[in-house]
């Protein structure tokens, strides 16, 4: 089985963007988990490579598109 590709720089940027989105909306990791059943803390470490489906669910929660999310990530 092929090894999963991980880009540590991209994962850190995704982590920073998620933290920023949560903080702007005053949402704790616990509240986020309660609302979504997603352990965002694991992603916010920058060590976990989230699936596209997970990122889509996160974007839906924050009411932004994947394009908007990644535009912000790329701007970092």
């Amino acid at each position: 089985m092929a090894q999963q590709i991980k880009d540590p720089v991209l994962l850190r940027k995704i982590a920073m963007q998620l933290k920023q989105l949560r903080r702007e909306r005053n949402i704790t990791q616990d509240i986020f988990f309660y609302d979504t059943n997603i352990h965002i803390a694991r992603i916010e470490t920058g060590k976990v490579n989230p699936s596209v489906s997970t990122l889509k669910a996160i974007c839906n929660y924050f009411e932004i598109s994947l394009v908007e999310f990644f535009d912000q990530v790329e701007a970092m």
Side-chain angles (χ1 to χ4, degrees):
M1 185 169 175
Q3 187 175 6
Q4 186 180 38
I5 298 171
K6 288 189 178 183
D7 180 338
V9 173
L10 176 60
L11 293 177
R12 277 193 303 275
K13 287 180 178 183
I14 288 170
M16 291 180 350
Q17 179 61 18
L18 291 174
K19 287 178 191 177
Q20 182 176 331
L21 286 168
R22 267 194 324 96
R23 289 178 180 154
E24 286 172 354
R25 290 160 174 83
N26 243 356
I27 297 169
T28 65
Q29 290 177 344
D30 289 334
I31 290 170
F32 185 85
F33 177 73
Y34 179 79
D35 290 345
T36 65
N37 206 33
I38 296 171
H39 288 281
I40 200 166
R42 294 179 187 174
I43 301 168
E44 286 184 359
T45 64
K47 296 176 184 172
V48 172
N49 199 357
S51 71
V52 174
S53 298
T54 299
L55 286 174
K56 177 64 174 155
I58 291 169
C59 287
N60 288 346
Y61 179 80
F62 289 121
E63 298 180 337
I64 62 171
S65 70
L66 282 168
V67 171
E68 291 171 301
F69 179 80
F70 280 110
D71 279 349
Q72 292 300 316
V73 168
E74 286 299 314
M76 295 180 154

